[in-house]
Amino acid sequence: MVVNGRPLKRMKRRVTADLNDFLTFPSADGPVAGGPFRTRVRSFLSTHALPPPPSSLLPHLLTWQILFRVGEPIDPPPAVVYLDVVEEDVSRSRSIYCDQCRVVGWSGNPVCAKRYHFIIKADGGSIGGYNKSCAACGDILQISESRCKSCNHVTTTEDVEDWMYNQLEATTHLLHGVVHANGYGHLLRVNGREGGSRVLPGRHIMDFWDRLCKVLAVRKVSVMDVSKKYGLEFRLLHAITKGHPWYGDWGYEFGAGSFALTFDAYKMAVETLSNLPLSIFFSQGRKPRTRLQDLIAFYQSLSERELVNIRDLFSFLMTLIHDDAHKSPLLRVNDSSSCKKRARSCDSRVLCAWTSNDIAHVEEAMLRVLRAVTGSNWVGWRTLRGAVCKVGPPELLDYCLKELNGKRAADGMVVNARCIPDSGAMEYRLERASVPLDESTTCNDPSITNCPSEDHLLRDLRYLYESLLHPQTMLNSSIPYSKRDLAIKSATKLLDSKQFVKDYRPVIANSSSFHYLSCEVDLMEEHEPNPPPELIILSPNATISDLKHEVSRAFQEVYVMLRRFQAEELVGYGGVDESTQVKLLLGGSTEVVRVRGRCLGKSSLGRFRMERGLERWTVDCSCGAKDDDGERMLACDVCSVWQHTRCIGIIDSDAVPVRYVCIKCRCIPGEMIKPKCEEVVDVGGGSEAALRGG
């Protein structure tokens, strides 16, 4: 394809030794030099990125590209990672408003003129690699090809634009962060190993993103944490084990909770659920022991320190899974050293109550039971435990059952253990050893521990998660009623807390060559919230006139609605001559100033007034919510006030009434209408995506 008489050239690949290391770039040490995000991002791209083609097909979607190596440039050559930075002109975009700003509490900000998308694709390719898919058959084409060789389809500019927006909306990227021109951003997704990454784990991706935000002087970044680990809601699991979400390791804190949840309510829910004592699950008198009790007792006997509460239990289990996942294949087969180390620490605690003779006595009783079993039948955990229940205390029985696999008996027989996949229960039987037993490698020394496999650990983790953490599957029979209700409410609050925010608070490097001012603007004849302040950089001898000029230019550049903004008055200094130097008026340090101004002429840019869009709505839910939080809502057909469907008794899986009248309007005569139900298609949260009656 030829554009403006010039063919698009293919990008040349650089030698990996010349590339920056993804694991260390960019350096984020020390204060940020060079001003606010709006100027830093331009300087960063011009310095480090390959520019878009001179004649881009899509001037409102310019794609910059940066190549990185992963690790040191040694043999074999390191992997290469592509970072695409898509510079989006919002005024010409298909999607003007930002859904993420709306649900995190930034919906009152004006629409920014630019968005910068930072993307690492999962397939190792690049948006700026000059390849696209045919809109008709899906075959890969070069952008320079105007006709598909497979189906003869002629590629149009609209086809290329469709492909580009599909890239921005894809959910498979390893990294996708977007930052508005005012420095407010959103981390849309991070996909590590479990998300399909072959080279980069999630932590390395997050480290890179965090360094990048610091260097670019990003103000705040939000993330909606709906990630899963091992198929479980990770924000709930990580909050129990660490006290904060996974993103909290990089400084992300509670930002906005659904259903009017507050930071204090979130912290209280974490403490309540994580400190629930394990002892309450054993307070059931003489009833038969359950699988939940068996699992808790098993891991209590395996741990080298006492597991007191739910946090201790899940932290220990996650540590075992992490250690097993990072073993080499050789250590997975024969990990006697690590097991011995853990076992000796454990036995130092165990043997303070039981002697080696006590352990040997119980093990011999278990072997006698297994010898009495005819044929090749298996004996279940509970059956074997019940058969020797009078030989020793319950804790000692649990410990010996854990150690029973691999124990040798008379006549060359060895205990074999297996786990039933459906129930997770253990079974045992005696089998003839396939190889002669070696005294140096096989013995009945209780100091050698049989470590659970990764599959076994993950299966136990899922069962304990469903039994103790998830509010919809939590087993309640062993929990006192008062604690049961509180535990379910706490778990629900943790699942309802999805929005987390990091405030980077960029620290600008001090310089005697410049005067830094944080400038707020008051918009005349406007009743909406004022935009966030912008950092203005002036020369040491700048005057009030220079300040007004720089303020006007900065806000015109950042916000679409303010393209005709003109600063007119420095609030509090109305009578000061415009030739007065700023340093004489305000001093030499960084100051906060307020400037009043107006947009000149008649503007047709009103639709860019706020990120929430033009539609006005009122939220007044019984939970206390006063604004859109991304959850499913329903509007009253009389007063048009929005409420959460969950708060009015409609669970997410249920249909909603064709016509709905809220409880306040039902007091009005003639408004009580019998609701009917219809099928609902939920396309997300918010004003445009929430459900409506009628």
Side-chain angles (χ1 to χ4, degrees), residues 552-579:
S552 300
R553 190 166 66 90
F555 282 89
Q556 288 171 7
E557 176 185 343
V558 173
Y559 298 106
V560 182
M561 186 188 72
L562 302 181
R563 284 179 175 172
R564 300 178 181 177
F565 172 76
Q566 186 65 45
E568 297 183 351
E569 177 188 354
L570 186 61
V571 177
Y573 303 92
V576 179
D577 188 89
E578 298 232 337
S579 62

Side-chain angles (χ1 to χ4, degrees), residues 53 64 140 160-161 174 286 304 364 409 431 488 551 561 614:
W64 304 73
I140 301 299
V160 179
E161 187 176 29
L174 303 187
R286 303 178 64 87
E304 63 186 33
E364 182 58 34
E431 296 181 354
I488 293 176
V551 170
M561 186 188 72
L614 296 175

Side-chain angles (χ1 to χ4, degrees), residues 64-320:
W64 304 73
Q65 187 184 79
I66 308 177
L67 281 72
F68 299 97
R69 55 178 169 83
V70 182
E72 296 299 326
I74 57 177
D75 292 329
V80 175
V81 172
Y82 295 84
L83 173 68
D84 292 313
V85 183
V86 180
E87 182 180 350
E88 181 183 10
D89 184 347
V90 179
S91 63
R92 301 172 60 184
S93 173
R94 293 182 179 180
S95 178
I96 295 175
Y97 308 115
C98 178
D99 291 336
Q100 287 75 32
C101 281
R102 189 184 69 243
V103 299
V104 81
W106 304 338
S107 62
N109 290 349
V111 176
C112 288
K114 298 279 189 180
R115 293 191 199 113
Y116 294 88
H117 298 262
F118 298 86
I119 296 174
I120 299 177
K121 294 185 65 178
D123 59 8
S126 168
I127 296 176
Y130 304 100
N131 291 322
K132 66 179 184 302
S133 300
C134 174
C137 67
D139 282 359
I140 301 299
L141 306 175
Q142 294 183 16
I143 289 184
S144 59
E145 296 178 303
S146 60
R147 188 181 298 272
C148 178
K149 297 178 181 179
S150 300
C151 66
N152 212 32
H153 174 75
V154 177
T155 301
T156 64
T157 303
E158 289 73 18
D159 291 335
V160 179
E161 187 176 29
D162 289 341
W163 179 82
M164 278 294 297
Y165 278 109
N166 287 336
Q167 299 302 304
L168 298 183
E169 296 170 0
T171 60
T172 59
H173 299 318
L174 303 187
L175 169 67
H176 187 181
V178 59
V179 183
H180 302 279
N182 62 2
Y184 287 76
H186 314 282
L187 181 55
L188 301 183
R189 58 192 49 86
V190 172
N191 287 313
R193 300 288 190 186
E194 291 191 3
S197 174
R198 298 188 297 270
V199 177
L200 299 171
R203 286 196 164 271
H204 288 171
I205 298 174
M206 277 299 301
D207 289 341
F208 170 80
W209 170 253
D210 196 51
R211 294 192 302 269
L212 185 65
C213 289
K214 291 177 182 177
V215 166
L216 295 180
V218 173
R219 292 182 179 182
K220 294 183 179 182
V221 176
S222 74
V223 61
M224 177 181 284
D225 188 0
V226 291
S227 58
K228 292 181 180 291
K229 187 81 169 179
Y230 315 123
L232 311 177
E233 298 289 350
F234 201 33
R235 66 183 179 280
L236 174 56
L237 187 60
H238 205 277
I240 294 302
T241 57
K242 301 294 184 180
H244 55 73
W246 181 71
Y247 298 98
D249 291 347
W250 291 270
Y252 286 78
E253 299 178 343
F254 179 90
S258 301
F259 306 100
L261 286 175
T262 63
F263 171 76
D264 291 338
Y266 173 79
K267 295 301 294 183
M268 182 63 70
V270 171
E271 293 303 315
T272 298
L273 191 56
S274 60
N275 289 322
L276 200 63
L278 298 176
S279 59
I280 65 174
F281 299 101
F282 293 91
S283 304
Q284 60 175 19
R286 303 178 64 87
K287 296 180 181 178
R289 284 181 47 138
T290 63
R291 181 189 174 191
L292 175 62
Q293 293 171 327
D294 288 341
L295 279 180
I296 294 175
F298 173 78
Y299 286 104
Q300 283 178 325
S301 66
L302 190 63
S303 174
E304 63 186 33
R305 66 182 184 87
E306 187 178 7
L307 304 183
V308 177
N309 51 36
I310 286 182
R311 172 173 290 168
D312 294 340
L313 176 63
F314 280 94
S315 297
F316 178 62
L317 193 50
M318 293 294 288
T319 300
L320 293 179

Side-chain angles (χ1 to χ4, degrees), residues 401-472:
L401 282 169
K402 173 196 45 111
E403 306 291 338
L404 193 58
N405 185 30
K407 298 295 181 182
R408 61 174 181 170
D411 303 327
M413 303 297 286
V414 176
V415 178
N416 186 21
R418 71 176 185 181
C419 183
I420 302 175
D422 295 335
S423 63
M426 297 296 295
E427 292 183 329
Y428 306 87
R429 73 178 179 186
L430 285 174
E431 296 181 354
R432 188 164 299 279
S434 57
V435 294
L437 296 176
D438 186 351
E439 292 290 338
S440 64
T441 58
T442 306
C443 66
N444 287 344
D445 186 352
S447 67
I448 299 180
T449 300
N450 297 294
C451 300
S453 66
E454 183 179 10
D455 290 341
H456 192 165
L457 292 171
L458 291 177
R459 184 169 53 251
D460 289 348
L461 175 65
R462 295 187 186 99
Y463 180 81
L464 291 172
Y465 172 88
E466 294 175 355
S467 301
L468 304 178
L469 297 185
H470 200 283
Q472 296 180 358

